[in-house]
Amino acid sequence: MVYPRLIPCVLLKNGLIVRSERFETHQVIGNPIQTISRLSSWNVDELFLIDISTEDYHDLRRDDLHVRYQGSSALDVLQEIAKICFMPLSFGGRVRSLEDISRILKAGADKVSLNSAALASPDLVSEAAREFGNQATVVTIDTRRLEDGRYEVFADAGRTATGRDPVDWAREAADLGAGEIVIQAIHRDGSAEGYDIELVSRIVNAVDVPVIALGGAGRYQDFPPAFEAGVSGAAAANIFNFFELSYGMAKKHCTEAGIRLRESKLESAWSPREPKYAPGDASARIEARLEAARTGDFPAARQTRPTQTVSWCTECVYSSLSATPMAFDENGVCMGCKTAAARSEIPAEEWTRREALLKDLLERYKSRDGMRPDCVIAVSGGKDSWFQTHYIKNVLGYNPLLITYNGNNYTDVGWRNLLRMKEVFDVDHIIYSPRVDVLKKLNRLAFKIMGDMNWHAHVGINTVPVRLAVQLGIPLVIWGEHGYMDLCGQFAMTDFPEMSYRYRLEHFGRGYDWNYFLGLEDLETKDLIAWQYPRDQEMFDLDLRGIYLGNYVDWDANQHTQQMVEEYGFEVSPDPFDRTYRRMSNLDDMHENGVHDYLKYVKFGYGRCTDHCCKDIRSGKLSRGQAIELVNHYDPVRPRDLYRWLDYAEMSEEEFDRIADTFRDPRVWWKDADGNWQRTRLEP
Amino acid sequence: MLHVIDLENCNLASVLRAFDRIGVATTTVGEPARLADAKAIVLPGVGAFAASMGKLDERGFSPVLRDLVQRDGVPLLGICLGMQLLGDASEEHGIHAGLGLVPGTVKRLRPASRADKIPHVGWADAVPAKESYLFPEQTVSSFYFDHSYHFDCDDSPDIAARARFGNEEITVAIQRGHVAGVQFHPEKSQDAGLDLLSAHLHWLRGKGRL
């Protein structure tokens, strides 16, 4: 009795994971190694990798602690992936010949998926089956449902109609020796509408070989119908990027629906969740950084012209060499603009529906007996925290507990706003303040290691509320907006992404978890409790969810701020910031808009003013022309809070500059004949 | 140090990666002379029985392995086809002699219905049949299988674990003294597989073999 399989599918494009929608739009999710490590520690049944690159190059974006691949093809990524996989591995994408198959199997795959090439020359299927065995030969059938309800097979990633019926082609492929058929519904890809069960059933009934369904799963309840239709495997890509513990939760859902699947544990002794860092790696990295700072010899300093051209979104002012995982469409419009546009078109009745979804969640997770708070709201004391608390407490009527990570960098006005929340909203509030000596060490170390002294804040803010929620037995944590969804359209509005360890580690932590710092400046495990995320099993047992309110509420930061000022007396900054025109953001951390953001400019040639301008262009508050003037004025400004930070971290200004320079991205910066730093900038 | 025999018939890299992950050094062996100082041997393999047995015979592995295992007591672990090669004979495409280290014959799987597909590919439960160093906990775990033939054991005490296929309980792990074999792929079976290899290593260490 072979168990039906639940198969995470990872879409790779130019070395990164993407989220796909109807084969047309691809949003960058992140680095495959971190995601696949996560899947390994969840003991998944199988992994299906599909490379949808059309050319061989890797663009891994900012210099985080990612696995760097040798080479630039999908095979290079596959080799790295195979090193951390102890499960069956299936690989598809641009497989054209027996030689390709042989190379892929040698690189570590167990099965190879044929698609367009098999349609063009069906003999390839029989030759592959003879040479490598049926079990290694998979045929994937990309199918579209036409207007008249007929199904048609498409080749070339959905671009070319073949006139073939998927059932006929599945039968033929199985007769030729395919050991497995993957039936993919293009019209359901990325839709979160569920599998096309009618299509899946037809294929299952037509062939004797195992059938895998792909395309459309967006909620856990989408899986059981596929298994009930008789598939040997249900595969899905996007959903495993949306939710925490998504794999275990999906299996739990199937089990509750009466589908018997293989038991897979959440935590693996062999593939631990926290990355394993090579001993001495951190010290060596710091040493190399300081050496480059001393000698002035690093990539950007060696060139007299940039290595790559920069382009900007044609609607906002977002750069193609961004710090965030951004993607652009064929017209040069960034996904941030596209998602914002999609968001603005959401009709009022859809927001009403979403509010009902939110209420359902709160009802499901609230305290039954009043012996604990209904939910946790992670608050910084800023405008969004005020709005979240207003909404959950005063609009919907629940009893939240506010939890704050205090990184010791509050502006005066930010601190006043934070302390007033408990009175203004009449709620309980926990402020967790890590030891200042540890904070100073982390500021210094993270600046040298990753050019970002605020690692402690980014990771702490995304750890403390979650950790305390688990310890207090509160299964719902509420956040404001999903940062990357808002800024760079990482997800679609139908995705409802939630907080996850992966997102925390990869985007907030830049690939560095707390254990990277062990031993540096004598830091020990006990010093780093605030940055230790709860265990998977603890979160699973509590059914912990972390939702972003921006998915449920029509979010308008400018309007919300206005409302908080008028209704509750929220204070915006009395003084302008040095590096942006907005006065309502980042009051909880004087360095976030200051020296931390200045470092973003040093690295990538743009800063928070660009982020703010993009958001304000999308919401119609700014024209692109105005934005260009603003970013050219604000992005290069050297901020005054630098001097507070230098005192705090005990570093000289000269040392700071020398180290900061080593982080300059060679794709953006070069040195002119006089030795001055130059960058390509956006001209009016 | 584990000596892993390379018959160029499988993705040896994944087997080596699994041993690396559980923290044991390996050396791959292409000819029998390199087995002289072996303290423990692993024989992985996929594909056809006759072809791989032919290679063992041609390269002179067969007598060396029999001597090392039977005379010198060197522990041997066979994986997938490697387990089948431990038997007396196989009925795959004719009758072929095996290494004869564990009494038994390799036979084709017998499906009982359309649902029993050959090859038998996927995750299935292995139920330990006795206390052995492969299954010290004696718990039922799922492993990843990929085979069309199975090992039919002559001496039931040699059976370490069974799995259901069709109407039969087929043998999927054997252990006779210091000779053991598994039909499934521990290197592709996530924690369950790595735990099994780790249990085997633990036993080897206890025997002073690592």
Side-chain angles (χ1 to χ4, degrees):
Chain A
M1 163 63 214
V2 178
Y3 284 107
R5 289 161 279 156
L6 182 66
I7 306 170
C9 173
V10 171
L11 289 178
L12 295 168
K13 191 175 181 183
N14 303 124
L16 292 169
I17 293 186
V18 292
R19 175 202 175 284
S20 163
E21 190 159 340
R22 292 186 173 78
F23 281 32
E24 288 157 12
T25 53
H26 297 116
Q27 289 149 302
V28 175
I29 295 292
N31 183 283
I33 301 297
Q34 256 126 7
T35 288
I36 289 162
S37 303
R38 199 87 182 98
L39 295 172
S40 279
S41 65
W42 291 339
N43 266 281
V44 303
D45 297 342
E46 188 167 313
L47 182 64
F48 187 11
L49 297 165
I50 304 178
D51 181 55
I52 58 170
S53 313
T54 47
E55 43 202 347
D56 280 337
Y57 73 87
H58 287 165
D59 174 10
L60 300 181
R61 308 297 167 100
R62 68 186 193 194
D63 182 27
D64 291 353
L65 190 64
H66 292 323
V67 173
R68 293 279 172 206
Y69 325 121
Q70 300 304 312
S72 60
S73 74
L75 276 190
D76 303 313
V77 190
L78 173 60
Q79 265 158 348
E80 286 303 326
I81 288 170
K83 286 181 192 166
I84 55 167
C85 278
F86 299 95
M87 71 287 238
L89 200 56
S90 201
F91 183 93
R94 290 194 292 168
V95 185
R96 300 278 176 265
S97 63
L98 290 179
E99 294 73 55
D100 287 348
I101 299 173
S102 172
R103 273 195 294 269
I104 292 165
L105 293 172
K106 278 204 175 69
D110 302 285
K111 314 180 205 179
V112 176
S113 157
L114 303 168
N115 190 329
S116 304
L119 283 161
S121 52
D123 289 349
L124 184 60
V125 180
S126 46
E127 288 163 9
R130 244 199 320 279
E131 179 93 16
F132 306 104
N134 313 66
Q135 82 294 332
T137 309
V138 179
V139 169
T140 297
I141 303 177
D142 293 337
T143 308
R144 237 190 217 105
R145 192 187 184 113
L146 306 176
E147 303 243 321
D148 61 5
R150 281 185 309 116
Y151 290 108
E152 186 177 355
V153 178
F154 280 74
D156 307 320
R159 285 187 293 272
T160 312
T162 64
R164 300 208 56 172
D165 173 80
V167 169
D168 294 343
W169 174 224
R171 278 207 190 97
E172 187 184 334
D175 290 343
L176 287 165
E180 196 165 83
I181 302 285
V182 178
I183 180 70
Q184 157 127 290
I186 301 173
H187 51 285
R188 291 293 175 92
D189 175 48
S191 70
E193 291 165 2
Y195 294 103
D196 184 333
I197 297 296
E198 187 191 337
L199 171 67
V200 170
S201 302
R202 286 190 196 182
I203 305 294
V204 167
N205 295 329
V207 295
D208 266 348
V209 297
V211 174
I212 312 290
L214 177 61
R219 304 285 170 268
Y220 299 139
Q221 58 263 34
D222 294 335
F223 292 113
F227 289 117
E228 282 154 9
V231 296
S232 299
N238 296 343
I239 187 173
F240 295 114
N241 299 318
F242 298 166
F243 310 119
E244 181 60 290
L245 308 175
S246 47
Y247 193 78
M249 285 293 177
K251 274 207 169 174
K252 183 177 165 207
H253 202 96
C254 290
T255 308
E256 284 167 358
I259 312 283
R260 247 190 102 230
L261 298 176
R262 166 187 161 258
E263 266 184 53
S264 44
K265 315 185 298 194
L266 279 175
E267 296 174 1
S268 164
W270 304 110
S271 306
R273 182 184 68 183
E274 273 74 9
K276 268 191 170 157
Y277 303 107
D281 177 79
S283 324
R285 192 173 282 254
I286 293 172
E287 206 38 61
R289 178 71 56 193
L290 297 180
E291 180 62 19
R294 262 194 301 276
T295 58
D297 183 27
F298 47 89
R302 293 181 207 129
Q303 54 190 25
T304 51
R305 68 169 70 91
T307 47
Q308 218 171 314
T309 50
V310 189
S311 58
W312 286 268
C313 173
T314 50
E315 289 185 9
C316 71
V317 289
Y318 215 80
S319 147
S320 61
L321 299 179
S322 61
T324 58
M326 177 64 94
F328 295 82
D329 76 0
E330 62 280 5
N331 305 316
V333 179
C334 80
M335 293 310 295
C337 285
K338 290 181 76 109
T339 302
R343 193 190 175 93
S344 67
E345 284 162 18
I346 293 179
E349 59 268 24
E350 171 60 10
W351 287 119
T352 309
R353 187 186 76 89
R354 285 172 183 246
E355 187 177 275
L357 289 177
L358 176 66
K359 285 181 190 159
D360 286 349
L361 274 173
L362 282 153
E363 275 304 298
R364 183 172 150 191
Y365 289 106
K366 73 176 187 188
S367 172
R368 297 272 160 258
D369 55 8
M371 299 289 278
R372 63 159 175 86
D374 291 324
C375 58
V376 164
I377 305 180
V379 300
S380 65
K383 61 183 190 332
D384 295 345
S385 326
W386 279 54
F387 178 79
Q388 284 154 250
T389 311
H390 149 81
Y391 192 79
I392 299 297
K393 174 93 198 307
N394 294 346
V395 177
L396 299 182
Y398 289 91
N399 176 36
L401 168 67
L402 311 189
I403 298 183
T404 300
Y405 166 89
N406 169 19
N408 203 36
N409 295 337
Y410 272 86
T411 61
D412 290 345
V413 58
W415 188 245
R416 274 200 306 276
N417 281 333
L418 178 74
L419 292 187
R420 283 188 56 232
M421 288 186 83
K422 63 181 187 299
E423 297 154 45
V424 167
F425 295 105
D426 218 2
V427 286
D428 293 1
H429 187 179
I430 293 176
I431 299 177
Y432 188 106
S433 308
R435 282 166 31 201
V436 174
D437 68 322
V438 171
L439 287 173
K440 286 183 175 186
K441 288 177 181 182
L442 288 175
N443 267 267
R444 256 193 310 269
L445 288 165
F447 168 62
K448 291 173 188 167
I449 292 166
M450 58 195 95
D452 177 6
M453 65 282 297
N454 268 2
W455 176 93
H456 76 91
H458 302 149
V459 174
I461 287 165
N462 282 279
T463 302
V464 162
V466 186
R467 187 183 167 103
L468 289 178
V470 167
Q471 288 173 339
L472 297 165
I474 307 167
L476 185 62
V477 180
I478 294 174
W479 305 87
E481 281 190 294
H482 189 287
Y484 276 3
M485 187 162 168
D486 174 45
L487 184 61
C488 50
Q490 186 168 40
F491 294 97
M493 283 307 293
T494 48
D495 291 350
F496 293 87
E498 299 185 1
M499 74 177 186
S500 68
Y501 175 85
R502 182 194 66 82
Y503 186 59
R504 166 191 167 277
L505 173 67
E506 190 172 341
H507 297 307
F508 293 108
R510 302 168 179 272
Y512 301 87
D513 211 332
W514 66 273
N515 52 324
Y516 192 82
F517 295 90
L518 285 173
L520 300 176
E521 294 205 26
D522 303 324
L523 286 170
E524 298 173 44
T525 299
K526 68 175 171 55
D527 300 324
L528 297 164
I529 290 170
W531 298 272
Q532 294 163 13
Y533 210 61
R535 288 184 30 237
D536 278 5
Q537 193 64 51
E538 293 174 314
M539 295 192 287
F540 189 83
D541 291 345
L542 183 62
D543 189 14
L544 180 76
R545 305 273 297 272
I547 61 169
Y548 294 92
L549 214 48
N551 284 321
Y552 302 91
V553 179
D554 194 358
W555 199 274
D556 181 337
N558 291 309
Q559 188 204 314
H560 290 170
T561 308
Q562 201 55 40
Q563 186 188 356
M564 293 305 106
V565 171
E566 288 165 12
E567 272 183 56
Y568 299 104
F570 177 79
E571 291 181 74
V572 293
S573 178
D575 313 309
F577 283 111
D578 294 347
R579 297 186 38 76
T580 182
Y581 58 95
R582 271 196 185 186
R583 291 192 186 193
M584 59 189 191
S585 302
N586 305 103
L587 305 176
D588 60 312
D589 190 328
M590 67 180 84
H591 300 314
E592 191 69 12
N593 272 351
V595 62
H596 154 78
D597 187 59
Y598 175 68
L599 283 166
K600 181 156 103 176
Y601 167 75
V602 169
K603 291 173 181 175
F604 296 103
Y606 78 95
R608 190 159 307 253
C609 181
T610 292
D611 295 340
H612 290 162
C613 280
C614 291
K615 292 183 189 190
D616 285 336
I617 289 173
R618 293 168 195 164
S619 65
K621 278 181 64 89
L622 273 185
S623 73
R624 194 165 185 268
Q626 290 169 307
I628 292 172
E629 281 180 31
L630 284 168
V631 300
N632 284 339
H633 169 73
Y634 280 110
D635 277 350
V637 171
R638 194 172 168 95
R640 286 166 296 173
D641 63 289
L642 171 62
Y643 301 101
R644 182 266 182 179
W645 189 81
L646 293 171
D647 283 346
Y648 184 62
E650 295 162 29
M651 190 179 287
S652 73
E653 191 171 357
E654 188 213 12
E655 187 185 3
F656 171 86
D657 282 327
R658 278 208 318 264
I659 294 172
D661 279 346
T662 63
F663 287 99
R664 287 181 192 266
D665 191 317
R667 297 169 310 170
V668 178
W669 295 98
W670 70 95
K671 267 189 165 171
D672 65 15
D674 305 329
N676 297 317
W677 288 112
Q678 298 295 341
R679 68 176 170 116
T680 320
R681 48 173 237 173
L682 191 52
E683 299 302 339
Chain B
M1 176 71 75
L2 275 181
H3 283 67
V4 183
I5 296 176
D6 181 8
L7 294 179
E8 292 125 37
N9 64 354
C10 71
N11 193 346
L12 192 64
S14 40
V15 175
L16 298 179
R17 276 195 297 264
F19 282 120
D20 179 57
R21 177 56 64 107
I22 60 177
V24 62
T26 51
T27 180
T28 51
V29 175
E31 64 258 11
R34 304 251 342 269
L35 287 174
D37 59 346
K39 297 182 84 179
I41 304 170
V42 177
L43 176 62
V46 296
F49 186 98
S52 290
M53 198 60 214
K55 273 191 189 158
L56 284 176
D57 289 339
E58 274 162 41
R59 298 186 190 178
F61 268 114
S62 305
V64 173
L65 276 174
R66 286 187 191 105
D67 277 355
L68 284 171
V69 172
Q70 288 171 324
R71 191 190 60 206
D72 308 340
V74 177
L76 173 64
L77 173 70
I79 296 176
C80 194
L81 178 66
M83 159 174 161
Q84 297 181 0
L85 294 169
L86 303 175
D88 296 321
S90 166
E91 298 174 359
E92 184 179 355
H93 310 305
I95 305 285
H96 310 277
L99 287 166
L101 295 169
V102 178
T105 313
V106 177
K107 297 180 174 159
R108 189 164 172 83
L109 289 167
R110 283 189 305 210
S113 74
R114 212 191 117 188
D116 305 319
K117 310 234 193 286
I118 308 240
H120 177 228
V121 179
W123 293 88
D125 285 344
V127 182
K130 62 167 183 174
E131 199 176 331
S132 71
Y133 50 80
L134 296 177
F135 300 96
E137 307 285 328
Q138 294 199 66
T139 45
V140 178
S141 312
S142 317
F143 294 93
Y144 189 73
F145 288 84
D146 182 357
H147 62 125
S148 305
Y149 287 78
H150 69 104
F151 193 110
D152 188 11
C153 239
D154 288 356
D155 299 344
S156 61
D158 293 343
I159 300 174
R162 296 186 181 91
R164 179 118 204 129
F165 184 84
N167 291 332
E168 297 173 277
E169 297 289 333
I170 57 167
T171 297
V172 296
I174 49 176
Q175 182 257 316
R176 184 183 177 93
H178 57 281
V179 182
V182 290
Q183 178 61 68
F184 44 81
H185 286 276
E187 76 282 8
K188 290 282 164 190
S189 300
Q190 298 284 34
D191 280 24
L194 295 171
D195 285 346
L196 178 134
L197 294 178
S198 174
H200 184 242
L201 292 186
H202 178 76
W203 175 80
L204 288 174
R205 283 196 187 98
K207 290 271 171 208
R209 289 267 165 194
L210 267 186

